Amino acid sequence: MGEMLWTVARKEFRAFFASPAAYLFLGAFLAATLFVFFWVETFFARNIADVRPLFQWLPLLMIFLVAALTMRAWSEERRAGTLESLLTAPVEPLALVLGKFLGVLGLVALALVLTLPLPITVAMLGPLDWGPVIGGYVATLFLAAAYIAIGLTMSGRTDNPIVALILTAVVCGLFYLVGSDTLTTLFGHQTGTLLTLLGTGTRFESITRGVLDLRDLYYYVSIVGVFLTFNLFSLERQRWAGNPASARHRQWGWVAGLAAANFVAANLWLAPIGWARADITAEGQYSLSEATRQQLAGLREPLLIRGYFSAKTHPLLAPLVPKVKDLLEEYAVAAGSHARVEFIDPTRDREAEEEAASRYGIQPVPFQTADRYQAAVVSSYFDVVVAYGDQFEKLGFRDLIEVKARGERDLDVVLKNPEYAITRAIRKAVGAYQSGGNPFERLTRPLAFKGYISPDTKLPAALRTLRKELAAVLDELGKQAGDKLQVSFADPDADGGNLAHELKRKYGFGPQIASLLDPTPFWFYMVLEGDGETLQVPLPETLDKAGLKRSLDAALQRFTPGALHTVALVKPQPFGPGGQRFSQLEKVLGENVRIKETDLKGGQVPAEADLLLVLAPRELSDTQRFAIDQFLMQGGSVVLATSPFDVQVSNTLTAGKQSSGLEEWLAHHGLAIEETLVLDPRNTALPVPVERFVGGLTFREYRMLPYPHFPDLRGDGLNRDNPITASLGQLTLNWASPITVEAEKNKGRTVSELLRSSPQSWVSSSLDLIPDYRAHPDTGFAAGGERKPRLLAVAVEGRFDSFYQGKESPLAKAAEAVRDKAGDSGTETEQTDKPEPRITGIIERSPESARLILVASNSFASDAALDLASQGLNTLYTKPLAFLQNAIDWSLEDRSLLALRGRTQLARTLNPLREGEQRLWEYVNYGLALLGLVAVWGWRRRAMAADRRRYEHILAEV
């Protein structure tokens, strides 16, 4: 049986090359795929490093190509009268059927091999994920096998090849159409989901994502089994044609029907088996990550995940609903009894619609839709709600999808990064719920509170009162904590000041004063210790019980797993239409952390802040600089985005020099930003207006042209060993300056170089940001100076020495200035009008936990820069936002979302290419396709020559 099968398969495969049929098939297939890839799907304009255009049209192309290959398989045998000879030959009918099937499948496999230069080209031009590529080729082979089985069966039913071709195309087309968006969008989700399970195209798409699901693969196997069974049965009927019916004939009919029924029924048996799948994508994009599973494992209260999906929605959103449902079901399985997943159609349940609106604030969105009879605008739902305790988060379709324009009307709509969005919502809801409860319930180890405070006789009056309030607050916390909070106090000046020397050496603490007019030194420091981490509790600015409790609660949250963190944000005030605005960044950060805006003019970072984010600082005062310095000395994390240049984006691009006020402070820590801008030949395009003259009329159009001030960082430009940049893949850094790190001053600290420009980059001090492509066609700017990589972002962690070490506190100076001003006015003020005492002291040294991240760009995360990058990519560009989110999570040692962020499907962009380079790669693929055909022709010529020599040798022996 086996030898017969392979003999028939080889004979069928060679028969294709006995005439031009095989070369016509291969040539037509390659021409069609190349045309679709480069022209229809506009690969280079799409600018995504994947081969989706290669596989997107294959379910349709295969229908006609396979129909052409199989139309003569049996019909020609019947018409030529050779079928009877085959059926009476000493070859089993099953071997004939399978042999012809494998022969055609071999030719299809050869055609797919000839398309391999396309994914190899993409891999050379960008970060290609080979998982979907492998899935695409596997799906194509299984799809082709199903179509071949159908084609052979149709060919066996007629002696006319043209009729066989039409029948094959119609049946295969019906299998494709039944699950296509064209048909499923005319029905509700339940009916649409059922139809997608029957369609060859939707199963194909599921595998080409990079997920090998046993149910999808067996679906094609079942089609092959059913139709080859019918093909075999039809051959058997040909063998007894004209003979009277017998029990054996009826038995053959029952066996064939039972076999086909079993092939179909196995689909129903496999339907509930969801674990038999392999996610072969590079990042496991379609499987719950370990970070999500850990988040779900930490649930203590019931979690509700509810999907609001209406039966009718936008045609581009409808195919995404089953994918979201499948993902939510995985959450339910992973969480076990701690989570409940529900799906509701509010358009069919009035009470559910009212609850969605009143409780969660979910309103329907008007979409244009169409059914079999009319087009209309319907209000539909595409929302997910995550509820935990009395807290909830909602996700709309804008949070779950990603859109990329491919033309005026063509859009790519995909799920953006649903696992990240849902896990982030769970984390935020759980964190908000836990923040309102007892923080000690979630602590795994006890904390130690240590107060280094002078006796009341040395304390100012305001602090003597605060000392009593501290005892009351700690007593309240002690009742909540039980044995998880240990409290101790010590006077640093006792026993000859040994403890004072130890505190100065270990933490950089020193004596404090109330003001320059009251220089009596005293100590009032509070520290929390736990899990090997030491955190200073800052004095509240208001010096009252409420402020003290806020400071202690904020410090406790740092030790509480899953609690939400607070980021103190310093941003510039927008000035004019081109001023810096960071609304998109604030919105994204607000999804994971609390945002507390501050101007630092009080000389202190808000007590509840876990991290300080300073964006585009402008001429910071000594008091503001002192606040940043002391926050770092307390062991805090500071993220700075600053540059010597301010870029205004309005109708044009203008740049001017800008002083941040941090130059000396950064230099003290061994960091300096050069007063130049980095230009990189490997860059992201900029939409540039170009005027064209047609028939005496002037037209303005926008063209995407290279812009060296937008360095495109990827590969070696991103630190793959640091969690901040390891998962980004690519980042555009706008109008950046080079950073210099002084090794001597940073000795003993860990310095991580996060971002670097390409080795061909150069620097310029010119403030002219408008490119001149006439004078410099390739880049728009004159390239000069030394070409080498430039450091654009750096992270430093370890022990820092204060910039104000050995200096007077700026807070004391500010308080003295206020008093002098009041005295000079010559007016008597009431006691209540006197300025509040400013407790000033300088922490001279930070603990090892202090971290400083410096990005040498004022505008890389601004709204204007993001809009420009988004226009260049025809999709919302969020990599700078992901970079800052990662920096915050890394600084706060919150790694739960680091692995998930940035895994969007449209994030893998191509390397920057000039138009000439794009054409070159396109023509290279045309040439490789032609070379592949020539190679096949040479291979088959050699095979035919070998066969001829073998036959001559056999004849000579005879």
Side-chain angles (χ1 to χ4, degrees):
M1 168 68 180
E3 185 176 353
M4 294 180 185
L5 188 154
W6 290 114
T7 300
V8 175
R10 285 195 299 270
K11 179 260 181 186
E12 290 294 325
F13 184 79
R14 291 177 177 179
F16 284 116
F17 292 95
S19 67
Y23 300 104
L24 290 175
F25 166 76
L26 294 175
F29 178 76
L30 289 177
T33 53
L34 289 170
F35 176 74
V36 167
F37 192 83
F38 289 111
W39 291 79
V40 177
E41 294 296 328
T42 59
F43 169 71
F44 287 109
R46 186 168 173 265
N47 196 33
I48 303 297
D50 64 13
V51 289
R52 183 182 174 192
L54 172 63
F55 299 111
Q56 191 170 7
W57 289 77
L58 280 183
L60 280 174
L61 290 176
M62 279 293 173
I63 292 176
F64 302 100
L65 295 175
V66 170
L69 283 178
T70 58
M71 67 180 184
R72 301 177 59 186
W74 293 112
S75 61
E76 192 68 22
E77 302 278 6
R78 295 182 63 175
R79 188 171 65 172
T82 57
L83 180 60
E84 290 76 7
S85 300
L86 284 176
L87 295 179
T88 56
V91 181
E92 296 183 17
L94 181 60
L96 289 173
V97 171
L98 292 179
K100 285 183 176 290
F101 170 79
L102 292 177
V104 180
L105 186 61
L107 186 59
V108 173
L110 176 61
L112 292 178
V113 169
L114 294 177
T115 65
L116 282 176
L118 285 174
I120 294 174
T121 297
V122 177
M124 297 175 68
L125 298 180
L128 176 66
D129 183 354
W130 280 96
V133 178
I134 296 173
Y137 280 112
V138 171
T140 304
L141 281 175
F142 275 81
L143 174 71
Y147 286 169
I148 292 169
I150 295 172
L152 290 176
T153 302
M154 297 302 107
S155 180
R157 303 294 300 173
T158 178
D159 60 358
N160 190 324
I162 301 301
V163 173
L165 184 148
I166 295 174
L167 288 175
T168 301
V170 169
V171 175
C172 292
L174 288 175
F175 270 97
Y176 174 80
L177 181 64
V178 73
S180 67
D181 296 342
T182 305
L183 188 63
T184 57
T185 53
L186 301 180
F187 301 91
H189 291 314
Q190 292 183 350
T191 305
T193 301
L194 177 61
L195 292 176
T196 57
L197 295 177
L198 301 176
T200 54
T202 50
R203 298 278 190 167
F204 181 87
E205 182 183 353
S206 177
I207 303 174
T208 55
R209 294 180 304 158
V211 179
L212 301 181
D213 194 313
L214 177 61
R215 295 169 296 184
D216 293 330
L217 297 177
Y218 179 77
Y219 166 77
Y220 291 115
V221 172
S222 66
I223 294 178
V224 172
V226 168
F227 280 93
L228 290 187
T229 298
F230 290 160
N231 191 194
L232 181 62
F233 180 64
S234 67
L235 290 182
E236 286 294 328
R237 291 188 62 185
Q238 289 291 328
R239 295 180 68 177
W240 68 65
N243 296 327
S246 65
R248 184 173 179 273
H249 299 167
R250 289 190 295 271
Q251 183 181 9
W252 255 103
W254 281 104
V255 170
L258 185 61
N262 275 280
F263 277 119
V264 174
N267 284 285
L268 303 177
W269 180 75
L270 290 173
I273 301 178
W275 51 265
R277 61 194 291 272
D279 186 350
I280 59 176
T281 57
E283 299 170 337
Q285 190 170 357
Y286 299 99
S287 301
L288 291 186
S289 65
E290 187 61 30
T292 296
R293 296 184 184 277
Q294 290 177 359
Q295 182 71 46
L296 296 174
L299 297 175
R300 296 294 179 266
E301 300 291 334
L303 174 71
L304 171 64
I305 305 178
R306 181 175 292 168
Y308 289 97
F309 303 108
S310 52
K312 290 186 178 180
T313 185
H314 194 282
L316 295 177
L317 293 180
L320 305 181
V321 175
K323 299 177 183 178
V324 177
K325 288 184 175 181
D326 290 344
L327 180 62
L328 295 182
E329 292 290 357
E330 288 194 43
Y331 275 85
V333 173
S337 60
H338 286 98
R340 186 173 82 254
V341 174
E342 299 175 353
F343 301 108
I344 296 177
D345 183 355
T347 60
R348 299 181 178 179
D349 188 336
R350 177 62 63 182
E351 293 183 1
E353 187 173 24
E354 293 177 355
E355 181 189 23
S358 60
R359 184 174 182 181
Y360 301 122
I362 293 177
Q363 298 292 338
V365 178
F367 288 120
Q368 185 173 359
T369 184
D371 57 20
R372 287 164 290 182
Y373 308 108
Q374 64 179 353
V377 176
V378 298
S379 296
S380 60
Y381 291 83
F382 193 98
D383 304 270
V384 175
V385 169
V386 174
Y388 188 80
D390 58 350
Q391 302 293 323
F392 71 89
E393 292 292 323
K394 60 181 179 179
L395 302 170
F397 73 95
R398 293 181 179 86
D399 302 304
L400 297 171
I401 69 168
E402 188 171 18
V403 180
K404 180 176 177 62
R406 291 188 286 117
E408 294 183 0
R409 296 184 178 181
D410 295 330
L411 297 175
D412 279 334
V413 179
V414 298
L415 287 176
K416 185 177 184 180
N417 192 350
E419 184 187 358
Y420 169 74
I422 296 168
T423 301
R424 180 199 66 207
I426 294 174
R427 179 179 177 274
K428 190 172 183 180
V430 172
Y433 176 78
Q434 292 177 345
S435 297
N438 183 356
F440 293 99
E441 291 180 356
R442 296 172 299 281
L443 290 177
T444 57
R445 297 182 182 180
L447 297 179
F449 174 89
K450 297 181 179 181
Y452 302 107
I453 302 174
S454 299
D456 287 353
T457 55
K458 293 185 178 181
L459 294 177
L463 289 187
R464 286 197 293 270
T465 303
L466 190 66
R467 173 66 178 81
K468 296 177 182 178
E469 301 288 3
L470 175 61
V473 172
L474 289 174
D475 184 59
E476 295 174 5
L477 291 176
K479 293 177 181 179
Q480 290 182 310
D483 60 350
K484 291 185 178 180
L485 180 64
Q486 302 170 1
V487 178
S488 62
F489 291 93
D491 177 11
D493 291 329
D495 299 327
N498 291 331
L499 179 57
H501 292 296
E502 178 65 18
L503 292 176
K504 185 172 184 179
R505 182 193 65 80
K506 189 174 181 180
Y507 303 122
F509 292 168
Q512 299 158 286
I513 61 173
S515 69
L516 293 179
L517 296 179
D518 184 11
T520 305
F522 61 89
W523 294 78
F524 203 113
Y525 291 97
M526 300 173 290
V527 170
L528 270 179
E529 294 181 354
D531 289 334
E533 182 181 357
T534 300
L535 179 66
Q536 185 197 357
V537 182
L539 275 173
E541 192 172 357
T542 55
L543 297 182
D544 57 9
K545 183 178 180 180
L548 187 62
K549 191 172 188 313
R550 285 195 300 270
S551 293
L552 284 168
D553 287 343
L556 286 172
Q557 295 295 333
R558 286 288 301 271
F559 292 95
T560 304
L564 287 182
H565 295 295
T566 300
V567 172
L569 175 63
V570 181
K571 63 176 184 177
Q573 293 299 321
F575 181 76
Q580 303 280 14
R581 290 174 174 82
F582 297 89
S583 58
Q584 295 184 49
L585 174 62
E586 292 180 70
K587 179 182 177 181
V588 169
L589 293 183
E591 296 171 348
N592 298 321
V593 298
R594 297 187 186 91
I595 300 295
K596 176 74 173 180
E597 290 192 27
T598 179
D599 57 12
L600 303 180
K601 291 182 178 179
Q604 188 173 0
V605 177
E608 62 268 30
D610 300 302
L611 179 139
L612 178 62
L613 175 59
V614 183
L615 302 173
R618 179 192 295 269
E619 297 179 354
L620 297 181
S621 66
D622 199 29
T623 302
Q624 292 171 305
R625 185 166 52 243
F626 179 76
I628 298 174
D629 179 89
Q630 290 299 284
F631 184 78
L632 185 66
M633 294 307 111
Q634 292 169 11
S637 298
V638 178
V639 180
L640 293 175
T642 180
S643 167
F645 300 95
D646 178 42
V647 178
Q648 302 285 322
V649 181
S650 53
N651 293 330
T652 185
L653 299 176
T654 59
K657 289 194 175 182
Q658 171 179 304
S659 173
S660 65
L662 294 173
E663 292 83 2
E664 293 183 8
W665 185 80
L666 288 172
H668 172 77
H669 297 304
L671 300 172
I673 303 177
E674 298 179 18
E675 292 189 2
T676 57
L677 288 169
V678 175
L679 293 91
D680 199 328
R682 189 174 69 182
N683 54 70
T684 300
L686 177 74
V688 176
V690 177
E691 292 185 349
R692 292 194 303 120
F693 299 93
V694 180
L697 299 177
T698 302
F699 294 90
R700 171 173 288 189
E701 62 181 11
Y702 284 86
R703 296 179 57 189
M704 305 309 302
L705 297 175
Y707 190 62
H709 281 291
F710 285 6
D712 182 285
L713 310 179
R714 61 180 74 206
D716 294 338
L718 303 175
N719 188 337
R720 300 175 183 175
D721 298 325
N722 191 287
I724 298 176
T725 51
S727 62
L728 287 180
Q730 184 274 341
L731 177 67
T732 298
L733 201 66
N734 314 76
W735 299 298
S737 300
I739 298 174
T740 302
V741 179
E742 189 174 340
E744 185 63 28
K745 289 187 178 181
N746 284 283
K747 185 182 298 183
R749 295 197 284 260
T750 302
V751 178
S752 300
E753 297 183 350
L754 300 178
L755 305 176
R756 275 190 172 274
S757 61
S758 76
Q760 297 302 314
S761 62
W762 72 96
V763 296
S764 172
S765 57
S766 173
L767 298 181
D768 184 8
L769 303 182
I770 305 299
D772 183 358
Y773 295 105
R774 293 183 178 178
H776 311 284
D778 291 336
T779 61
F781 295 90
E786 183 180 5
R787 299 287 191 102
K788 66 176 183 180
R790 263 74 179 188
L791 179 63
L792 305 179
V794 63
V796 184
E797 54 183 325
R799 189 181 295 273
F800 293 82
D801 293 325
S802 173
F803 176 74
Y804 293 91
Q805 186 176 16
K807 303 176 183 178
E808 290 184 354
S809 168
L811 297 187
K813 295 179 182 179
E816 184 62 25
V818 171
R819 289 189 176 89
D820 290 343
K821 184 176 182 180
D824 293 342
S825 65
T827 59
E828 294 293 334
T829 59
E830 297 294 332
Q831 182 70 21
T832 56
D833 295 333
K834 291 181 179 180
E836 290 290 335
R838 299 302 303 269
I839 307 304
T840 64
I842 297 175
I843 305 175
E844 298 182 348
R845 188 177 298 108
S846 76
E848 294 287 344
S849 60
R851 293 177 176 179
L852 174 62
I853 299 176
L854 176 63
V855 184
S857 173
N858 277 323
S859 57
F860 84 105
S862 67
D863 293 348
L866 294 176
D867 290 342
L868 286 174
S870 298
Q871 291 177 36
L873 296 173
N874 285 328
T875 186
L876 181 61
Y877 184 70
T878 59
K879 284 301 181 72
L881 308 183
F883 173 85
L884 285 177
Q885 288 177 288
N886 287 347
I888 291 172
D889 288 349
W890 175 80
S891 301
L892 299 177
E893 297 186 352
D894 185 356
R895 310 296 170 86
S896 58
L897 296 176
L898 274 173
L900 299 179
R901 192 176 291 118
R903 299 195 327 183
T904 61
Q905 297 184 42
L906 302 181
R908 295 175 176 268
T909 57
L910 298 174
N911 297 331
L913 293 172
R914 300 185 183 93
E915 184 175 350
E917 294 174 321
Q918 294 175 354
R919 292 183 182 277
L920 175 62
W921 282 107
E922 182 179 351
Y923 295 152
V924 164
N925 276 274
Y926 296 156
L928 290 175
L930 184 59
L931 185 63
L933 285 175
V934 172
V936 171
W937 178 81
W939 168 48
R940 295 316 305 166
R941 289 278 295 181
R942 292 187 60 183
M944 292 174 64
D947 289 343
R948 189 180 301 108
R949 288 193 297 271
R950 187 173 69 255
Y951 296 150
E952 291 175 352
H953 180 70
I954 294 174
L955 292 175
E957 290 182 350
V958 174

